Amino acid sequence: MFCCVALRTASVLALVSLAGCALNFLGEERETWRDATERACLAQKLVVPSYFQRPAREVEGKGTCGIEKPLKVNAFAQGIVAVTGGDVLLGCMMTQAMERWMREGVQPAAQARFGMPVTEVLTMGTYACRTRNNQHRAKMSEHAYANAFDVAGFRLADGRTIRVKSDWRRGDPAAQAFLRETLITACTYFTTVLGPGANRQHEDHIHIDLARHGKKGGSHYCRPKLDMPAPTPLDPYANMPMASLPQAPQAPGPESLEPRTFTYRLDENAGQPDGMGTQPGDPVLSGQVPAVPPSGPYTPPASIPLSYAP
C-alpha cells in the first residue's frame, strides 16, 4: 500500500514539474512593442519588398513564439550579398539593420582588409522557437521572434570564406582583424552582439539581435569588448594577374548594365507547419532590379552579378 501511494505521489510531482516547465515556456506574453515596431517599419517602407526580401504569412509558434509580418530573405544589398541557403525568416527591423550593417560596416571592412567586397553571409539560423541558449527556464530568445541573426562567417568576391569558428583565433591577421571589426561595427546597428569570448555558446558564430535592454530599451550589450584592430596592409600582388597569363576581359561598365525585371509568387504558407511552397492561387509580386546599386559609403563593383529569378 505504501509503495502504491509513493508511486502515485511521484507521478503527480512529475506531472506538476512538467506543467511548470511548459508554463515557463508558454506563459510569457509577447511584448506589444514587437508587432507595433514591425508594422511601423513596413508602413514607413524601411524595407521595400523585392525578390530578395519577400513578405510571408504570419508565423504562429508555441506560446509567444512567432512574428506577425515576417520577410523571407535570401540576400541583402539588392542581391549583392547572398544569404547561405536563402529564404531565412527575419522581421522588417532586423532586415533593415542588416542592410545598413552590410553597407556601412561589413563591406568597408572587407575592402580595407582584402581589397574586395563580401558576396555572401554565412548563417547558423534566424527564426527558432526556443529559450536563450536553449537553457531550461531561461527567457525566450530573440530568435523566437525572428529578431536575431547568427553569423557563421562571410564569403569574399574571390570565393575565399572567412569563418568565425576557424579564423577568429587561428586565421591570418587580415581575417582575424576583419571578424573583430565586423563585431565592433555590429554594436552600432544591433542592441545585442555576442561573439567568441562572450561565452562558450558563441565560439563559432556572432549573434546579433534587436532586443530591448535598459529602462528605455535603447541600451546596447556587446561582448566581448574589443578595441578596433590596426589596419592590415593589403598584399600589393594579391590581385595582380601573372605576367605569363592573358589579361581577363574587362567587366562591363555601369552604363552597359540594364535594369532587370522579376516576377514571383508570394508563399502564403511560409512558416506554417503544413507549408507546401507556392501554389497557383498565391499572389504575384513583380518589380525591377536597378541597373546600378544605390550609392552610399560602399559602392559594389559592377563586375559582381546580381542573383535574381529569371
Side-chain angles (χ1 to χ4, degrees), residues 2-88:
F2 176 77
C3 292
C4 293
V5 171
L7 182 61
R8 289 173 182 171
T9 302
S11 299
V12 170
L13 289 174
L15 289 173
V16 170
S17 176
L18 288 174
C21 179
L23 287 173
N24 180 67
F25 183 74
L26 303 177
E28 293 185 16
E29 294 185 4
R30 191 187 303 180
E31 299 96 326
T32 57
W33 65 263
R34 295 186 182 278
D35 292 339
T37 302
E38 292 298 308
R39 293 192 200 105
C41 178
L42 293 169
Q44 295 172 24
K45 296 184 178 180
L46 299 183
V47 174
V48 179
S50 70
Y51 170 74
F52 308 113
Q53 298 163 2
R54 312 192 302 273
R57 290 188 63 181
E58 179 179 2
V59 177
E60 287 286 355
K62 295 180 180 179
T64 62
C65 290
I67 180 171
E68 186 180 67
K69 296 181 179 295
L71 295 168
K72 292 173 67 175
V73 178
N74 62 56
F76 301 102
Q78 297 184 336
I80 298 297
V81 182
V83 177
T84 304
D87 284 349
V88 296

Side-chain angles (χ1 to χ4, degrees), residues 59-62 65-67 88-90 125-129 142-148 271:
V59 177
E60 287 286 355
K62 295 180 180 179
C65 290
I67 180 171
V88 296
L89 284 177
L90 284 174
T126 55
Y127 174 74
C129 184
E142 290 302 306
H143 284 288
Y145 312 108
N147 197 35

Side-chain angles (χ1 to χ4, degrees), residues 76-125:
F76 301 102
Q78 297 184 336
I80 298 297
V81 182
V83 177
T84 304
D87 284 349
V88 296
L89 284 177
L90 284 174
C92 178
M93 290 300 296
M94 267 301 293
T95 303
Q96 192 252 359
M98 287 290 295
E99 285 280 0
R100 292 189 59 199
W101 180 49
M102 287 291 164
R103 183 175 68 250
E104 301 169 10
V106 174
Q107 295 293 29
Q111 287 284 7
R113 308 287 177 180
F114 307 110
M116 66 187 73
V118 161
T119 57
E120 186 175 352
V121 55
L122 313 181
T123 181
M124 292 178 61

